[in-house]
Amino acid sequence: NLVIGLDALQESTVNTNSYAVDQGRYGAAQVNYFTKSGTNEFHGDVYEIWNGSLLNATDEFLHANDTPGNITKKPRSTVNQFGVSVGGPIRKNKLFFFAHYEGVRIAIPIIARSTVPSVAYEQYVLQQLPQGGTDPINGTVLPAQPAEVSLYQTMFGLYSSTAGTPTPVLSCPLDTSGALLPGTQSASNLFNGSGCANIRTQSLNNDDKENLFVLKIDHTMSTKDSAWYKYQQDTGLQAAFTDPIKPIFNSYSSQPQRTGVAGYTHIFTPNLVNQFNPGVSWYSSIFLPNNYAQVLQRLPIVLAGGSSNAPFTTIGGNDQTYTQGRNVTQWQINDNLIWTRGRHSMKFGVNSRRLDTSDYDLGEGVVPTVVYTDLAQFTYGAASTATEAFPVTQRERVSNGNLDLYAMD
């Protein structure tokens, strides 16, 4: 998230130690930044920064798992930051404005390696599910699961391609041609066929984008009174997860933020000045896939391997972790009185803050996560564990506030 635009910054200060009590309550450092203001003359500028695939090297391992007809392409990458600003007088010597817009467009290049079932193994599984079988590793009898055939057909239909480099898997009964290996498999005679799984390398992309708008008004009312007003709006979309199986499982976070602050300064005497600053901000940061309800209709579980004998990349993305995130509203008022008397510069102040937070993290786990630990469990529709959360509510509201008083010399 852009805290302030590249060309909206007038100056900034960073104080790392021994800072005064009027600078805040946090340790390590205090960072202050000041937004530009308009003047009696009109000024503005335009800028753009771009970097893309043409200027970047190819990943050294991009073609590690290429096969004939399945050549991995270099992923698209773009970083584009651009903006415009303008400032000037509304009424000379009295009223001024400054406006700034900045946009960011990022195409994130991703080289994803995944392990997927071969076409021959998919057909083998659909044949075995209605029949049941025995786990050759531990001898467990796995009953027939004809009702799961449609679920597996749905899962297999999510793979855009299963081509790749064949890889051996413990207890796999198929060779690279898809034929059954000769002999009978048992705990003392486990197969290690290479016809069940392929390793794929893919070029993927996901996009980040952001738009920031800043408007500041400065008003000189008199020789003793001045005020400023600032409104800032940031609308961004963050790519949170890119799924190597199916883009429908990609997750995003739309992160709008709106802030309004003001400042009023009154000079009682040259030695006595008061500064009053109210402000309010709101932002949202919710993480989940687009059209989440439709995604769960397509596949209502997350299926994941739980050991090295369960080779396939998780299908269902990170659906078990959604919805997560928060909405936050912050209210703040601070007032500072500065009194200079002889060698003393005394400051007195009050700072009041309230946070209203809606936390959505309680919803994590409502999508069942099914874990299998070897190839036989996947073949016959069995699970080692299955977990699902049943929260009383998927959202909890939390509020807190504080009132700080200080005096210093």
Side-chain angles (χ1 to χ4, degrees):
N1 295 89
L2 294 172
V3 176
I4 188 170
L6 183 66
D7 200 44
L9 183 65
Q10 177 68 35
E11 65 176 89
S12 63
T13 62
V14 180
N15 201 342
T16 57
N17 59 6
S18 300
Y19 41 82
V21 295
D22 64 332
Q23 292 193 30
R25 63 183 59 80
Y26 299 113
Q30 299 295 326
V31 180
N32 297 297
Y33 66 87
F34 302 88
T35 307
K36 289 180 178 179
S37 298
T39 65
N40 274 330
E41 296 182 356
F42 287 99
H43 293 282
D45 52 36
V46 178
Y47 62 90
E48 181 170 13
I49 304 168
W50 182 90
N51 183 19
S53 307
L54 295 175
L55 305 178
N56 299 320
T58 301
D59 189 296
E60 184 176 356
F61 302 102
L62 179 65
H63 302 293
N65 295 296
D66 285 355
T67 57
N70 181 44
I71 306 301
T72 306
K73 297 180 180 179
K74 181 180 178 180
R76 179 175 64 94
S77 65
T78 301
V79 178
N80 189 17
Q81 186 172 5
F82 50 92
V84 58
S85 63
V86 62
I90 300 175
R91 182 182 176 190
K92 283 198 172 185
N93 300 320
K94 290 289 186 180
L95 195 60
F96 312 93
F97 80 95
F98 174 81
H100 173 71
Y101 165 78
E102 181 164 318
V104 177
R105 303 292 185 268
I106 301 176
I108 305 171
I110 299 171
I111 305 297
R113 292 171 178 83
S114 57
T115 303
V116 299
S118 66
V119 173
Y121 177 66
E122 290 179 356
Q123 296 172 348
Y124 176 78
V125 169
L126 296 177
Q127 294 170 359
Q128 297 301 310
L129 280 171
Q131 301 177 26
T134 301
D135 190 330
I137 295 178
N138 53 37
T140 302
V141 175
L142 303 173
Q145 300 288 352
E148 293 189 17
V149 171
S150 60
L151 174 64
Y152 273 72
Q153 288 173 330
T154 298
M155 287 195 302
F156 293 155
L158 293 172
Y159 293 103
S160 57
S161 173
T162 59
T165 302
T167 184
V169 179
L170 188 65
S171 77
C172 172
L174 306 178
D175 62 20
T176 54
S177 69
L180 288 170
L181 294 171
T184 301
Q185 192 168 198
S186 65
S188 60
N189 182 37
L190 291 174
F191 295 156
N192 197 34
S194 297
C196 296
N198 293 326
I199 297 177
R200 285 176 51 78
T201 300
Q202 303 172 79
S203 293
L204 304 176
N205 279 106
N206 216 330
D207 296 324
D208 283 352
K209 62 181 180 181
E210 190 163 6
N211 296 287
L212 175 71
F213 173 74
V214 179
L215 176 64
K216 185 181 180 186
I217 302 293
D218 290 272
H219 187 191
T220 302
M221 306 175 204
S222 67
T223 57
K224 292 188 175 182
D225 296 282
S226 62
W228 57 266
Y229 318 91
K230 176 185 170 184
Y231 174 75
Q232 178 169 308
Q233 177 172 295
D234 184 8
T235 55
L237 183 67
Q238 175 187 335
F241 172 73
T242 304
D243 189 73
I245 303 300
K246 194 74 171 178
I248 63 170
F249 299 117
N250 292 353
S251 65
Y252 304 88
S253 177
S254 178
Q255 298 182 355
Q257 180 178 20
R258 298 176 182 90
T259 302
V261 292
Y264 171 68
T265 300
H266 177 70
I267 302 174
F268 294 98
T269 70
N271 297 327
L272 187 63
V273 179
N274 190 80
Q275 298 173 335
F276 175 67
N277 299 96
V280 60
S281 68
W282 172 88
Y283 79 89
S284 176
S285 180
I286 305 296
F287 295 80
L288 75 170
N290 292 334
N291 304 312
Y292 189 39
Q294 296 179 19
V295 172
L296 294 182
Q297 288 179 355
R298 188 78 177 269
L299 185 68
I301 67 170
V302 173
L303 184 62
S307 76
S308 58
N309 296 328
F312 302 121
T313 299
T314 298
I315 187 166
N318 287 334
D319 285 358
Q320 81 282 9
T321 67
Y322 308 123
T323 301
Q324 61 174 279
R326 69 210 63 84
N327 293 331
V328 179
T329 301
Q330 176 176 304
W331 312 82
Q332 184 169 352
I333 296 176
N334 66 68
D335 190 87
N336 299 287
L337 181 67
I338 305 170
W339 183 24
T340 303
R341 184 176 176 84
R343 297 173 58 186
H344 299 275
S345 179
M346 293 170 281
K347 292 184 180 181
F348 308 89
V350 56
N351 188 343
S352 178
R353 179 184 300 182
R354 177 182 172 87
L355 287 173
D356 294 318
T357 304
S358 294
D359 187 356
Y360 288 81
D361 291 352
L362 298 176
E364 295 186 45
V366 296
V367 175
T369 302
V370 179
V371 177
Y372 61 98
T373 57
D374 62 30
L375 194 66
Q377 289 184 353
F378 186 95
T379 302
Y380 297 107
S384 176
T385 63
T387 58
E388 182 179 359
F390 299 92
V392 175
T393 178
Q394 295 191 31
R395 184 183 69 172
E396 186 70 28
R397 182 171 178 139
V398 180
S399 297
N400 63 74
N402 61 272
L403 177 64
D404 300 333
L405 303 173
Y406 81 89
M408 60 180 291
D409 183 5

Short mmCIF file of all heavy atoms in Angstrom, two decimals, residues 279-320:
data_model
loop_
_atom_site.label_atom_id
_atom_site.label_comp_id
_atom_site.label_asym_id
_atom_site.label_seq_id
_atom_site.Cartn_x
_atom_site.Cartn_y
_atom_site.Cartn_z
N GLY A 279 -8.68 13.73 12.84
CA GLY A 279 -8.54 12.88 11.66
C GLY A 279 -9.34 11.60 11.78
O GLY A 279 -9.66 11.15 12.88
N VAL A 280 -9.69 11.03 10.64
CA VAL A 280 -10.39 9.74 10.61
C VAL A 280 -9.90 8.98 9.39
O VAL A 280 -9.60 9.56 8.34
CB VAL A 280 -11.92 9.94 10.55
CG1 VAL A 280 -12.33 10.71 9.30
CG2 VAL A 280 -12.63 8.58 10.60
N SER A 281 -9.75 7.67 9.53
CA SER A 281 -9.35 6.85 8.38
C SER A 281 -10.09 5.52 8.45
O SER A 281 -10.48 5.05 9.53
CB SER A 281 -7.83 6.60 8.38
OG SER A 281 -7.46 5.77 9.47
N TRP A 282 -10.28 4.94 7.29
CA TRP A 282 -10.93 3.62 7.17
C TRP A 282 -10.20 2.83 6.11
O TRP A 282 -9.84 3.37 5.06
CB TRP A 282 -12.40 3.77 6.78
CG TRP A 282 -13.06 2.46 6.47
CD1 TRP A 282 -13.67 1.61 7.34
CD2 TRP A 282 -13.17 1.83 5.17
NE1 TRP A 282 -14.15 0.50 6.68
CE2 TRP A 282 -13.85 0.61 5.34
CE3 TRP A 282 -12.74 2.19 3.89
CZ2 TRP A 282 -14.12 -0.26 4.29
CZ3 TRP A 282 -13.01 1.32 2.83
CH2 TRP A 282 -13.69 0.13 3.03
N TYR A 283 -9.96 1.56 6.40
CA TYR A 283 -9.42 0.70 5.35
C TYR A 283 -9.96 -0.71 5.50
O TYR A 283 -10.40 -1.13 6.58
CB TYR A 283 -7.89 0.69 5.36
CG TYR A 283 -7.25 -0.18 6.42
CD1 TYR A 283 -6.96 -1.53 6.16
CD2 TYR A 283 -6.89 0.33 7.66
CE1 TYR A 283 -6.36 -2.33 7.12
CE2 TYR A 283 -6.27 -0.45 8.62
CZ TYR A 283 -6.02 -1.79 8.34
OH TYR A 283 -5.42 -2.58 9.29
N SER A 284 -9.94 -1.43 4.41
CA SER A 284 -10.40 -2.81 4.37
C SER A 284 -9.31 -3.66 3.75
O SER A 284 -8.65 -3.25 2.79
CB SER A 284 -11.68 -2.92 3.54
OG SER A 284 -12.09 -4.28 3.43
N SER A 285 -9.11 -4.84 4.32
CA SER A 285 -8.11 -5.77 3.79
C SER A 285 -8.64 -7.19 3.97
O SER A 285 -8.37 -7.85 4.97
CB SER A 285 -6.78 -5.59 4.52
OG SER A 285 -5.80 -6.48 4.01
N ILE A 286 -9.45 -7.64 3.01
CA ILE A 286 -10.09 -8.95 3.06
C ILE A 286 -9.46 -9.84 2.00
O ILE A 286 -9.33 -9.44 0.84
CB ILE A 286 -11.61 -8.85 2.83
CG1 ILE A 286 -12.24 -7.87 3.83
CG2 ILE A 286 -12.26 -10.21 2.94
CD1 ILE A 286 -12.12 -8.29 5.26
N PHE A 287 -9.07 -11.06 2.38
CA PHE A 287 -8.41 -11.99 1.48
C PHE A 287 -9.34 -13.15 1.14
O PHE A 287 -9.82 -13.85 2.03
CB PHE A 287 -7.14 -12.56 2.13
CG PHE A 287 -6.08 -11.53 2.40
CD1 PHE A 287 -6.15 -10.71 3.51
CD2 PHE A 287 -5.00 -11.38 1.53
CE1 PHE A 287 -5.17 -9.76 3.76
CE2 PHE A 287 -4.02 -10.43 1.78
CZ PHE A 287 -4.11 -9.62 2.89
N LEU A 288 -9.55 -13.38 -0.16
CA LEU A 288 -10.31 -14.54 -0.62
C LEU A 288 -10.30 -14.55 -2.14
O LEU A 288 -9.97 -13.55 -2.78
CB LEU A 288 -11.74 -14.52 -0.10
CG LEU A 288 -12.77 -13.56 -0.68
CD1 LEU A 288 -14.16 -13.93 -0.16
CD2 LEU A 288 -12.47 -12.13 -0.34
N PRO A 289 -10.63 -15.69 -2.76
CA PRO A 289 -10.69 -15.73 -4.23
C PRO A 289 -11.86 -14.91 -4.75
O PRO A 289 -12.84 -14.65 -4.03
CB PRO A 289 -10.89 -17.23 -4.53
CG PRO A 289 -10.45 -17.94 -3.30
CD PRO A 289 -10.79 -17.02 -2.16
N ASN A 290 -11.77 -14.52 -6.01
CA ASN A 290 -12.92 -13.90 -6.66
C ASN A 290 -14.04 -14.92 -6.78
O ASN A 290 -13.79 -16.11 -7.02
CB ASN A 290 -12.53 -13.39 -8.05
CG ASN A 290 -11.57 -12.21 -7.98
OD1 ASN A 290 -11.55 -11.47 -7.00
ND2 ASN A 290 -10.77 -12.04 -9.03
N ASN A 291 -15.28 -14.48 -6.63
CA ASN A 291 -16.44 -15.37 -6.75
C ASN A 291 -16.28 -16.61 -5.87
O ASN A 291 -16.39 -17.75 -6.31
CB ASN A 291 -16.64 -15.79 -8.21
CG ASN A 291 -16.79 -14.61 -9.15
OD1 ASN A 291 -17.54 -13.69 -8.87
ND2 ASN A 291 -16.03 -14.62 -10.24
N TYR A 292 -15.99 -16.35 -4.58
CA TYR A 292 -15.64 -17.44 -3.66
C TYR A 292 -16.73 -18.50 -3.56
O TYR A 292 -16.45 -19.70 -3.53
CB TYR A 292 -15.35 -16.83 -2.29
CG TYR A 292 -14.79 -17.79 -1.28
CD1 TYR A 292 -13.84 -18.74 -1.65
CD2 TYR A 292 -15.16 -17.73 0.06
CE1 TYR A 292 -13.30 -19.62 -0.71
CE2 TYR A 292 -14.61 -18.58 0.99
CZ TYR A 292 -13.70 -19.53 0.60
OH TYR A 292 -13.17 -20.38 1.54
N ALA A 293 -17.99 -18.08 -3.54
CA ALA A 293 -19.09 -19.04 -3.45
C ALA A 293 -19.09 -19.98 -4.65
O ALA A 293 -19.31 -21.20 -4.51
CB ALA A 293 -20.42 -18.31 -3.33
N GLN A 294 -18.83 -19.44 -5.85
CA GLN A 294 -18.78 -20.28 -7.04
C GLN A 294 -17.59 -21.22 -7.02
O GLN A 294 -17.67 -22.36 -7.49
CB GLN A 294 -18.73 -19.40 -8.29
CG GLN A 294 -19.98 -18.55 -8.49
CD GLN A 294 -19.89 -17.68 -9.73
OE1 GLN A 294 -19.10 -17.93 -10.64
NE2 GLN A 294 -20.70 -16.62 -9.77
N VAL A 295 -16.46 -20.75 -6.45
CA VAL A 295 -15.28 -21.61 -6.33
C VAL A 295 -15.60 -22.82 -5.45
O VAL A 295 -15.24 -23.96 -5.78
CB VAL A 295 -14.10 -20.81 -5.75
CG1 VAL A 295 -12.93 -21.73 -5.43
CG2 VAL A 295 -13.67 -19.73 -6.73
N LEU A 296 -16.30 -22.60 -4.34
CA LEU A 296 -16.63 -23.71 -3.44
C LEU A 296 -17.68 -24.64 -4.05
O LEU A 296 -17.70 -25.83 -3.73
CB LEU A 296 -17.13 -23.15 -2.10
CG LEU A 296 -16.09 -22.38 -1.28
CD1 LEU A 296 -16.69 -21.92 0.04
CD2 LEU A 296 -14.85 -23.23 -1.04
N GLN A 297 -18.52 -24.12 -4.90
CA GLN A 297 -19.45 -25.00 -5.61
C GLN A 297 -18.70 -25.92 -6.57
O GLN A 297 -19.07 -27.09 -6.75
CB GLN A 297 -20.48 -24.18 -6.38
CG GLN A 297 -21.51 -23.49 -5.49
CD GLN A 297 -22.50 -22.67 -6.29
OE1 GLN A 297 -22.37 -22.52 -7.52
NE2 GLN A 297 -23.49 -22.10 -5.61
N ARG A 298 -17.63 -25.41 -7.14
CA ARG A 298 -16.82 -26.20 -8.07
C ARG A 298 -16.06 -27.30 -7.32
O ARG A 298 -16.02 -28.45 -7.78
CB ARG A 298 -15.84 -25.27 -8.79
CG ARG A 298 -15.07 -25.92 -9.93
CD ARG A 298 -15.90 -26.06 -11.17
NE ARG A 298 -15.14 -26.62 -12.26
CZ ARG A 298 -14.46 -25.90 -13.15
NH1 ARG A 298 -14.45 -24.57 -13.05
NH2 ARG A 298 -13.80 -26.48 -14.12
N LEU A 299 -15.45 -26.95 -6.19
CA LEU A 299 -14.73 -27.93 -5.38
C LEU A 299 -14.89 -27.53 -3.91
O LEU A 299 -14.27 -26.57 -3.46
CB LEU A 299 -13.25 -27.99 -5.75
CG LEU A 299 -12.44 -29.08 -5.05
CD1 LEU A 299 -12.88 -30.47 -5.53
CD2 LEU A 299 -10.95 -28.90 -5.31
N PRO A 300 -15.68 -28.27 -3.13
CA PRO A 300 -16.01 -27.84 -1.77
C PRO A 300 -14.98 -28.23 -0.72
O PRO A 300 -15.22 -28.04 0.47
CB PRO A 300 -17.34 -28.55 -1.51
CG PRO A 300 -17.27 -29.80 -2.34
CD PRO A 300 -16.48 -29.44 -3.56
N ILE A 301 -13.85 -28.82 -1.11
CA ILE A 301 -12.83 -29.24 -0.16
C ILE A 301 -11.45 -28.78 -0.64
O ILE A 301 -11.30 -28.31 -1.78
CB ILE A 301 -12.80 -30.78 0.03
CG1 ILE A 301 -12.35 -31.46 -1.28
CG2 ILE A 301 -14.14 -31.30 0.50
CD1 ILE A 301 -12.06 -32.94 -1.14
N VAL A 302 -10.47 -28.93 0.24
CA VAL A 302 -9.06 -28.80 -0.14
C VAL A 302 -8.43 -30.17 0.08
O VAL A 302 -8.52 -30.73 1.17
CB VAL A 302 -8.34 -27.74 0.71
CG1 VAL A 302 -6.84 -27.74 0.43
CG2 VAL A 302 -8.93 -26.36 0.44
N LEU A 303 -7.82 -30.72 -0.96
CA LEU A 303 -7.21 -32.05 -0.89
C LEU A 303 -5.70 -31.90 -0.93
O LEU A 303 -5.14 -31.38 -1.90
CB LEU A 303 -7.70 -32.92 -2.05
CG LEU A 303 -7.22 -34.38 -2.04
CD1 LEU A 303 -7.72 -35.12 -0.80
CD2 LEU A 303 -7.69 -35.11 -3.31
N ALA A 304 -5.02 -32.37 0.13
CA ALA A 304 -3.59 -32.15 0.25
C ALA A 304 -2.88 -33.43 0.65
O ALA A 304 -3.42 -34.26 1.40
CB ALA A 304 -3.30 -31.07 1.29
N GLY A 305 -1.66 -33.60 0.14
CA GLY A 305 -0.83 -34.72 0.54
C GLY A 305 -0.15 -34.43 1.88
O GLY A 305 0.21 -33.30 2.17
N GLY A 306 0.02 -35.50 2.67
CA GLY A 306 0.59 -35.33 4.00
C GLY A 306 1.91 -36.03 4.22
O GLY A 306 2.38 -36.13 5.35
N SER A 307 2.54 -36.52 3.14
CA SER A 307 3.85 -37.17 3.28
C SER A 307 4.53 -37.21 1.92
O SER A 307 3.93 -36.85 0.89
CB SER A 307 3.70 -38.59 3.84
OG SER A 307 3.23 -39.48 2.84
N SER A 308 5.77 -37.69 1.90
CA SER A 308 6.50 -37.79 0.64
C SER A 308 5.91 -38.86 -0.27
O SER A 308 6.20 -38.88 -1.47
CB SER A 308 7.98 -38.10 0.91
OG SER A 308 8.11 -39.31 1.66
N ASN A 309 5.10 -39.76 0.28
CA ASN A 309 4.44 -40.78 -0.53
C ASN A 309 3.13 -40.29 -1.13
O ASN A 309 2.44 -41.04 -1.81
CB ASN A 309 4.17 -42.03 0.31
CG ASN A 309 5.46 -42.69 0.79
OD1 ASN A 309 6.48 -42.64 0.10
ND2 ASN A 309 5.43 -43.29 1.96
N ALA A 310 2.77 -39.05 -0.82
CA ALA A 310 1.55 -38.43 -1.37
C ALA A 310 2.01 -37.27 -2.25
O ALA A 310 2.16 -36.14 -1.77
CB ALA A 310 0.65 -37.95 -0.24
N PRO A 311 2.28 -37.52 -3.50
CA PRO A 311 3.09 -36.59 -4.30
C PRO A 311 2.38 -35.37 -4.87
O PRO A 311 3.04 -34.41 -5.24
CB PRO A 311 3.59 -37.48 -5.44
CG PRO A 311 2.45 -38.45 -5.66
CD PRO A 311 1.90 -38.72 -4.28
N PHE A 312 1.06 -35.40 -4.99
CA PHE A 312 0.40 -34.40 -5.82
C PHE A 312 0.29 -33.05 -5.12
O PHE A 312 0.06 -32.96 -3.91
CB PHE A 312 -0.98 -34.89 -6.25
CG PHE A 312 -0.95 -36.19 -6.99
CD1 PHE A 312 -1.63 -37.30 -6.52
CD2 PHE A 312 -0.19 -36.31 -8.15
CE1 PHE A 312 -1.58 -38.50 -7.20
CE2 PHE A 312 -0.13 -37.51 -8.84
CZ PHE A 312 -0.83 -38.61 -8.35
N THR A 313 0.43 -31.99 -5.91
CA THR A 313 0.27 -30.63 -5.40
C THR A 313 -1.16 -30.44 -4.90
O THR A 313 -2.12 -30.94 -5.49
CB THR A 313 0.58 -29.63 -6.52
OG1 THR A 313 1.94 -29.81 -6.93
CG2 THR A 313 0.38 -28.20 -6.05
N THR A 314 -1.29 -29.72 -3.80
CA THR A 314 -2.60 -29.47 -3.20
C THR A 314 -3.57 -28.92 -4.23
O THR A 314 -3.25 -28.02 -5.00
CB THR A 314 -2.46 -28.48 -2.04
OG1 THR A 314 -1.63 -29.05 -1.03
CG2 THR A 314 -3.82 -28.14 -1.44
N ILE A 315 -4.77 -29.47 -4.22
CA ILE A 315 -5.82 -28.99 -5.11
C ILE A 315 -6.92 -28.37 -4.26
O ILE A 315 -7.34 -28.93 -3.25
CB ILE A 315 -6.35 -30.12 -6.01
CG1 ILE A 315 -7.30 -29.54 -7.06
CG2 ILE A 315 -7.00 -31.23 -5.21
CD1 ILE A 315 -7.63 -30.49 -8.19
N GLY A 316 -7.31 -27.17 -4.65
CA GLY A 316 -8.24 -26.40 -3.84
C GLY A 316 -7.61 -25.14 -3.31
O GLY A 316 -8.22 -24.39 -2.55
N GLY A 317 -6.34 -24.90 -3.70
CA GLY A 317 -5.65 -23.68 -3.30
C GLY A 317 -5.52 -23.55 -1.80
O GLY A 317 -5.23 -24.52 -1.09
N ASN A 318 -5.76 -22.34 -1.31
CA ASN A 318 -5.75 -22.06 0.12
C ASN A 318 -7.15 -21.79 0.64
O ASN A 318 -7.35 -21.03 1.59
CB ASN A 318 -4.87 -20.83 0.41
CG ASN A 318 -3.40 -21.12 0.26
OD1 ASN A 318 -2.97 -22.25 0.42
ND2 ASN A 318 -2.62 -20.10 -0.05
N ASP A 319 -8.15 -22.43 0.03
CA ASP A 319 -9.54 -22.14 0.37
C ASP A 319 -9.85 -22.37 1.84
O ASP A 319 -10.78 -21.76 2.39
CB ASP A 319 -10.49 -22.99 -0.49
CG ASP A 319 -10.58 -22.47 -1.92
OD1 ASP A 319 -9.94 -21.45 -2.22
OD2 ASP A 319 -11.28 -23.11 -2.73
N GLN A 320 -9.09 -23.25 2.50
CA GLN A 320 -9.35 -23.53 3.91
C GLN A 320 -8.96 -22.37 4.82
O GLN A 320 -9.29 -22.37 6.01
CB GLN A 320 -8.62 -24.81 4.36
CG GLN A 320 -7.14 -24.65 4.69
CD GLN A 320 -6.25 -24.58 3.46
OE1 GLN A 320 -6.73 -24.49 2.34
NE2 GLN A 320 -4.94 -24.64 3.67
#
